Amino acid sequence: AAAMVSMRVLVSLPARFFGGVIADHVGRRRMRFMMSAGYLLQAVGTVIFLLYPTTAMIYVWFIIFGLGWGMGIGTNSPMLGRYFGRKAFGSIMGLTTALTAPVSMIAPIYFGWVYDTTGNYIGAFTLSAIMLGVSAVFAALIPPPKLPAENTGVRKLV
């Protein structure tokens, strides 16, 4: 299990780098589609494993999931910076991590409870795949906030 999780992290490393590089070249309005693609890859990897629960498919799952996970990590910071600017970057990043931390703490407990009550992880991974799919849809549909200059029609000349 440790080797497989390590493989997921290893696969995510180039995706983090290339996700960040691509994010540097994509406009603010299109970055949401990169985040959506990252969530979608994670969902697809999980669904593949749910449909074909074999040892070989665990590797396929972790490769696809790791690519999506890495893309999301590489896109997240540039996206927050472009959406909200440098002035609020620290506050937004702090709020984001404060909101995701409880989920990260509860998820292993939930997965353990599902296994203890059902004898397998299928329900937990199914919920995870659904939530990743929903996240992909929301990420694609929510447009970036309008910048102050876009709201007033006035542009700064600085």
Side-chain angles (χ1 to χ4, degrees), residues 38-63:
Y39 286 133
L40 190 59
L41 281 171
Q42 292 175 66
V44 166
T46 304
V47 168
I48 287 172
F49 175 70
L50 287 168
L51 294 174
Y52 307 102
T54 64
T55 303
M57 284 298 140
I58 291 174
Y59 292 103
V60 173
W61 169 30
F62 277 171
I63 289 169

Side-chain angles (χ1 to χ4, degrees), residues 87-157:
K87 185 176 181 181
F89 185 79
S91 300
I92 298 295
M93 194 66 159
L95 178 63
T96 301
T97 55
L99 293 173
T100 58
V103 175
S104 297
M105 292 185 309
I106 293 169
I109 297 166
Y110 171 72
F111 273 63
W113 176 79
V114 168
Y115 183 83
D116 290 345
T117 57
T118 65
N120 61 52
Y121 293 104
I122 300 300
F125 283 117
T126 301
L127 179 61
S128 180
I130 291 168
M131 295 303 290
L132 287 164
V134 168
S135 297
V137 171
F138 278 134
L141 294 178
I142 298 174
K146 292 184 186 261
L147 299 175
E150 290 175 334
N151 289 332
T152 63
V154 178
R155 293 193 164 244
K156 281 187 164 182
L157 297 175

Side-chain angles (χ1 to χ4, degrees), residues 69-83:
W69 186 43
M71 180 184 288
I73 291 171
T75 304
N76 188 46
S77 292
M79 185 170 162
L80 289 175
R82 291 229 187 110
Y83 272 42

